[in-house]
Amino acid sequence: MFVDSSVILNVMFETQLTELARKVIESNEPKITSDTVIDEVYLIVLKKVLLPESRSTRGLKRLLRKDPKAREKAGELLALVLGSIHAMDIVVVGDAKWDAVGELVSEYGLLPHDATAIEYGCERLATLDDDFKVVKDVVELVPGKD
């Protein structure tokens, strides 16, 4: 089962969807994710922790350029992200074939980082957001979406 960033983030940060995300992670099914998902999770964690008031990418870039303590914290946060993914027993696979990703973006209107999840050919995809409802006939969404 491919694990989307929404599941990982809802395990890492307590939300209304945390219990549901934990059920997905605690399933006995083998789980994979991609470098693209790690990039997305890491960026969101950086924004949430280092810039909780704005979460602006531009502001994050400025902060990391100017503040050595923020850069040090960023390294610690990467270790947290990677450690969390490892603790969830999720295997990280290399990124997708980009020509196939482009076709999925064109066909379904997915964002490129979401299309990578489909490109792997997994039969099931664990997500807690609605971005993938357009491909529910291609891949089984976990937990089930209407």
Side-chain angles (χ1 to χ4, degrees), residues 25-143:
I25 294 302
E26 291 168 0
S27 77
N28 291 327
E29 191 168 349
K31 293 170 252 342
I32 67 169
T33 199
S34 70
D35 290 331
T36 301
V37 167
I38 292 175
D39 176 68
E40 186 177 5
V41 168
Y42 184 37
L43 180 62
I44 291 169
V45 169
L46 287 171
K47 288 178 181 181
K48 280 178 98 56
V49 173
L50 297 178
L51 285 179
E53 67 285 345
S54 78
R55 298 193 188 155
S56 149
T57 300
R58 181 174 285 153
L60 178 62
K61 284 176 17 179
R62 277 193 302 267
L63 177 67
L64 290 172
R65 269 195 302 260
K66 293 180 180 182
D67 187 341
K69 289 184 181 184
R71 290 194 298 274
E72 183 178 331
K73 183 70 174 175
E76 295 168 9
L77 291 171
L78 177 58
L80 173 69
V81 168
L82 296 175
S84 297
I85 289 167
H86 178 74
M88 293 178 213
D89 202 22
I90 301 172
V91 174
V92 180
V93 295
D95 271 333
K97 296 177 189 92
W98 290 101
D99 55 338
V101 169
E103 290 174 18
L104 289 164
V105 168
S106 296
E107 186 171 346
Y108 295 104
L110 293 169
L111 293 173
H113 63 270
D114 289 339
T116 62
I118 306 301
E119 193 277 330
Y120 284 111
C122 292
E123 294 176 6
R124 293 165 45 93
L125 186 137
T127 186
L128 300 176
D129 60 40
D130 292 330
D131 296 345
F132 293 99
K133 66 183 176 185
V134 296
V135 293
K136 67 182 182 210
D137 296 331
V138 176
V139 64
E140 180 186 352
L141 301 179
V142 178

